[in-house]
Amino acid sequence: MEDDDISGSDPSGGPQPRPQSLMLAFFGNHVLDAGALGVYSGSIIDVLGRVGVGEQAVRSTLTRMVNRGLLRRQREGRRMYFGLTAQATRVLEDGRIRIWQKGAVNDDWDGAWTLLGFSLPESWQRQRHDLRSQLAWSGFGALYSGLWVAPGRVDVAGIVAELGLAAHVKIFHAQADEATDIGLMIRDTWDLESIAARYVSFDKRWTAHLNAGSGDDPIGTRLRLVSEWLWTIRTDPRLPARHLPAEWPARPAQETFRRVAEQTEAPAARMAGELLDTAPLR
């Protein structure tokens, strides 16, 4: 996902994810663990309509995602079913690890850093954009224009290879010298104020949702919850907690996310079983 995966705000006051982000969240919630399963386009239109995405936007997004190799389609009679490709499965599994296994708080940093240096021709603007987007999602920040750094030992060789940039990139794993002020480096490299503001906004919005009651649309609520949380954490490199400001807001925001996720998990699954028309993909 990229920075423009959010467009405007929804009626609840939160950010409005773009249709592709919501589509990925939908398939991550209801298809990822089901294997080779396709979902009828009408069912997808129904569910995404619950979070404000119109039918035409859903249909055009499905077509674009097929063209990009993220979805595959299969006709059954007069109905078209859509399922995940291997590429989309990798994307969703990576997101699941980021959400459920790593979490938003890094309490166990061992002092290691990953450094990545690159030099690309000036004309390679798209390649540079794609690399920077992937690096940001993987927790990197720009220490200098062509030198990026991330906390911990980050395996980015696969990303670099997939982008076809292995010949232009050098990767190192290192420890900071005692002369390096890590706290200052973090403040200079990452926009901590912006990252914190996302967490504060998410926590405030979803705490209000909890206080207001669960509502009667768990499948739509969970779809919006996961999409907003991914948007919230996507620019957070999980910096070492001991080098962050006191009362860093990621921890309470994560607790709120997990409370709403737990509250909606079973009801959303039951509703999906009732709403979704599915078929095995051949």
Side-chain angles (χ1 to χ4, degrees):
M1 297 198 304
E2 300 174 358
D3 285 332
D4 60 357
D5 280 337
I6 294 291
S7 174
S9 60
D10 68 14
S12 71
Q16 175 58 50
R18 290 187 181 274
Q20 179 169 302
S21 299
L22 289 163
M23 192 78 73
L24 285 170
F26 168 80
F27 278 92
N29 282 340
H30 304 295
V31 179
L32 181 60
D33 291 328
L37 188 72
V39 182
Y40 169 49
S41 60
S43 298
I44 301 172
I45 290 168
D46 181 2
V47 174
L48 266 68
R50 295 165 180 264
V51 291
V53 183
E55 178 177 347
Q56 186 56 45
V58 172
R59 292 190 183 280
S60 61
T61 300
L62 288 170
T63 299
R64 285 197 304 272
M65 293 179 72
V66 168
N67 292 338
R68 292 183 60 189
L70 293 170
L71 295 177
R72 58 189 178 116
R73 54 190 165 196
Q74 175 177 296
R75 182 174 294 280
E76 296 286 342
R78 300 182 64 182
R79 296 192 166 194
M80 191 68 74
Y81 291 76
F82 292 82
L84 295 171
T85 63
Q87 178 185 350
T89 298
R90 288 194 299 271
V91 170
L92 292 176
E93 287 178 343
D94 177 62
R96 179 161 59 184
I97 291 170
R98 182 72 170 83
I99 292 173
W100 302 108
Q101 295 182 23
K102 291 184 177 180
V105 181
N106 187 353
D107 286 321
D108 55 1
W109 180 62
D110 63 0
W113 295 92
T114 299
L115 297 171
L116 183 145
F118 65 89
S119 179
L120 304 180
E122 285 297 322
S123 60
W124 289 18
Q125 295 183 8
R126 181 64 191 181
Q127 292 92 329
R128 185 176 292 104
H129 171 80
D130 289 345
L131 177 60
R132 288 172 173 170
S133 295
Q134 291 286 346
L135 290 178
W137 170 249
S138 299
F140 284 80
L143 190 61
Y144 301 107
S145 61
L147 181 62
W148 288 54
V149 61
R153 294 183 64 88
V154 183
D155 183 6
V156 288
I159 292 173
V160 172
E162 188 171 319
L163 293 173
L165 299 176
H168 302 271
V169 170
K170 303 294 184 292
I171 304 169
F172 304 88
H173 300 285
Q175 300 271 341
D177 187 85
E178 292 181 359
T180 299
D181 184 331
I182 294 176
L184 177 60
M185 183 194 74
I186 286 174
R187 293 192 296 274
D188 287 344
T189 304
W190 288 276
D191 184 355
L192 295 186
E193 184 176 337
S194 177
I195 295 170
R198 288 194 183 203
Y199 282 120
V200 170
S201 178
F202 179 94
D203 192 24
K204 180 179 180 180
R205 187 163 54 255
W206 286 96
T207 297
H209 170 85
L210 284 169
N211 293 337
S214 59
D216 58 358
D217 185 20
I219 194 169
T221 297
R222 189 173 178 84
L223 179 57
R224 187 162 53 87
L225 172 77
V226 173
S227 298
E228 288 188 24
W229 183 242
L230 277 169
W231 177 77
T232 301
I233 66 174
R234 74 166 307 277
T235 57
D236 181 1
R238 295 185 75 250
L239 295 162
R242 63 178 179 265
H243 291 292
L244 291 172
E247 307 300 327
W248 183 245
R251 197 180 305 273
Q254 178 172 269
E255 291 172 355
T256 298
F257 165 76
R258 290 181 172 172
R259 286 174 63 196
V260 182
E262 181 179 5
Q263 180 188 79
T264 57
E265 182 177 16
R270 286 195 298 270
M271 182 172 282
E274 298 169 358
L275 292 178
L276 303 185
D277 176 1
T278 63
L281 292 180
R282 297 184 294 272

